[in-house]
Amino acid sequence: MNQRRRSGRKRNGLLVVLFALLLPVLIVVLGFSIDYANMQRVRNEARAVADIAAKVAADTLAVTDDIEAARLAAIDIAAQNTIAGESVVLESGNIQFGRAVKQEDGSYSFDLDATPYNSVRVVSERSSSVSQGPIDLFFGRFYGRPSFDVSHAATSSFINVDICLVLDRSGSMKYQAVGTTVDYASTRQCVPPLPDSRWAELNTAVEAFVSRLEQTNIEERVAMVTFSSDTTICTPGITLTASSLDQPLTTNMADIRNQMAVMSSTVWGGGTNVTAGLDLARLHMTSASDPDARRFIIVLTDGIHNDGLPPFASALLAAQDGYIVHTITFSDDANLEDMQTVAFNGGGTHHHAANGAELENVFRRIAGSFAILTD
């Protein structure tokens, strides 16, 4: 029995020795695992900061044509974000200006200092070469690496764009913007939209949209399609088609204003055939748009698609053809769920506006969103 006890104590002693030998290895492995996870998190944070700073700087440059304003915009937005728990100090030397050039494979190259500028490259960096220094590692001293460098570059550019506005001209767009028109058939159906109508609010929002485009250095071409349904209204009868190309692609925003004015002084109405408007926009853009430009279709409706085929397949076809389809719903009568699906199928975003002020803000935001990450 004494021999068994001595043998047991010997085994326990060996286990203690083995544990003592392996403990540093376990600490190193555990520490490296924790530090590796932290390094991945920090890299993601650096990427996010570079992306948003480049985007904001490019948006600012497109509007102001002022590189110092763009530089300050990048620095300010970076400071609102953190890397490894510290507010980001973006240095001027890490904000570069140049020109993006589209390559044969569809990618973009960045030519530093090439003019006229249409791109901003931002390098989000934590290393010994910047004032904030590298990132400290929790367990780095155990494996001889107390800190690590992180750097991520992002380039945002404002590329020329072609846009088709697809606007609802169904009868409900002549309803009062606030409240419900209960006597539409007798007072509003056979007259142009009145100053208190949803269309009048849309007219104001489109004016804000084209005015915003005129302020940028991006070359935008805009077309305008309107839609309702194939119908005859009023006496004597006014025959309407489900959709019409009211303005082909143009760089002159006055053309869009003129067409909005024409619609504001014309009698129209009918049902809501979103598909007809979307299909006509896609047809026109396919025949007239610049293949090197980014191409957008912006669909606005205040109601529910109630005529023709559902618009979901049309949005998918538009996306397959290289268009981005954004949707806007206006008023509480709109079918948000369907238009969210249209935007999803079209690779775009959905926006809802409950009133004219919100609608104007939506159009302003979209007009200022055309800078893209090209690298």
Side-chain angles (χ1 to χ4, degrees):
M1 181 173 290
N2 288 335
Q3 186 175 359
R4 285 200 302 271
R5 288 175 179 173
R6 286 195 297 270
S7 177
R9 286 196 296 268
K10 185 176 181 180
R11 284 196 302 272
N12 290 339
L14 288 173
L15 290 174
V16 170
V17 171
L18 182 60
F19 180 76
L21 291 173
L22 291 178
L23 181 59
V25 177
L26 291 174
I27 292 175
V28 169
V29 172
L30 178 62
F32 180 78
S33 298
I34 294 173
D35 280 340
Y36 180 77
N38 182 53
M39 290 164 67
Q40 292 299 104
R41 177 179 62 83
V42 167
R43 289 190 181 103
N44 289 335
E45 291 174 344
R47 179 181 297 107
V49 170
D51 288 352
I52 191 172
K55 180 69 164 57
V56 168
D59 284 339
T60 303
L61 183 64
V63 172
T64 65
D65 199 25
D66 185 335
I67 62 172
E68 288 309 314
R71 197 188 311 274
L72 288 174
I75 291 172
D76 288 344
I77 193 66
Q80 299 174 36
N81 292 268
T82 61
I83 295 178
E86 297 182 34
S87 181
V88 179
V89 178
L90 193 61
E91 300 186 356
S92 294
N94 284 357
I95 306 168
Q96 303 168 337
F97 297 86
R99 187 159 187 82
V101 179
K102 192 172 185 178
Q103 306 300 297
E104 290 184 0
D105 62 359
S107 64
Y108 290 86
S109 65
F110 176 71
D111 293 345
L112 179 63
D113 295 330
T115 57
Y117 297 140
N118 73 347
S119 301
V120 183
R121 170 167 286 179
V122 171
V123 180
S124 176
E125 182 178 10
R126 288 290 302 272
S127 70
S128 56
S129 62
V130 296
S131 59
Q132 286 190 291
I135 304 296
D136 292 331
L137 294 173
F138 298 120
F139 298 93
R141 65 181 182 275
F142 290 108
Y143 47 87
R145 188 182 180 185
S147 64
F148 83 102
D149 296 343
V150 61
S151 177
H152 184 80
T155 304
S156 186
S157 310
F158 42 94
I159 307 301
N160 294 343
V161 295
D162 285 346
I163 307 160
C164 188
L165 298 176
V166 180
L167 308 178
D168 190 342
R169 55 168 161 80
S170 63
S172 60
M173 284 295 291
K174 294 197 287 186
Y175 285 4
Q176 291 168 287
V178 178
T180 302
T181 303
V182 294
D183 56 351
Y184 166 74
S186 61
T187 63
R188 295 190 176 232
Q189 184 177 32
C190 295
V191 297
L194 299 179
D196 64 350
S197 66
R198 294 173 182 174
W199 179 269
E201 298 283 11
L202 174 60
N203 190 37
T204 300
V206 171
E207 170 58 35
F209 179 77
V210 297
S211 294
R212 180 75 164 80
L213 295 183
E214 287 175 327
Q215 297 170 7
T216 75
N217 290 322
I218 306 172
E219 181 178 281
E220 301 99 344
R221 296 194 302 167
V222 182
M224 178 175 151
V225 166
T226 57
F227 65 90
S228 56
S229 63
D230 290 320
T231 189
T232 300
I233 60 172
C234 305
T235 304
I238 298 172
T239 300
L240 302 170
T241 58
S243 62
S244 58
L245 175 63
D246 303 291
Q247 174 58 54
L249 282 168
T250 178
T251 58
N252 186 355
M253 296 303 109
D255 294 336
I256 301 298
R257 293 185 176 97
N258 290 339
Q259 289 305 313
M260 290 297 295
V262 168
M263 293 298 300
S264 297
S265 59
T266 303
V267 177
W268 39 260
T272 305
N273 189 336
V274 178
T275 301
L278 187 52
D279 285 346
L280 182 57
R282 185 165 56 88
L283 180 64
H284 174 61
M285 295 284 275
T286 299
S287 64
S289 63
D290 180 355
D292 290 330
R294 300 178 67 224
R295 297 176 290 180
F296 296 86
I297 297 174
I298 302 172
V299 182
L300 174 135
T301 182
D302 74 324
I304 299 172
H305 176 89
N306 57 20
D307 187 82
L309 295 173
F312 311 128
S314 293
L316 283 171
L317 289 173
Q320 291 170 7
D321 289 342
Y323 306 110
I324 296 172
V325 180
H326 296 309
T327 61
I328 304 171
T329 46
F330 180 36
S331 89
D332 294 334
D333 295 331
N335 187 327
L336 274 64
E337 184 177 350
D338 278 2
M339 297 312 290
Q340 287 168 349
T341 302
V342 170
F344 178 81
N345 288 356
T349 55
H350 168 260
H351 309 263
H352 179 67
N355 54 55
E358 291 181 8
L359 184 63
E360 186 173 342
N361 287 334
V362 167
F363 271 96
R364 286 185 187 276
R365 287 200 306 271
I366 293 176
S369 69
F370 295 125
I372 60 168
L373 290 172
T374 50
D375 183 21

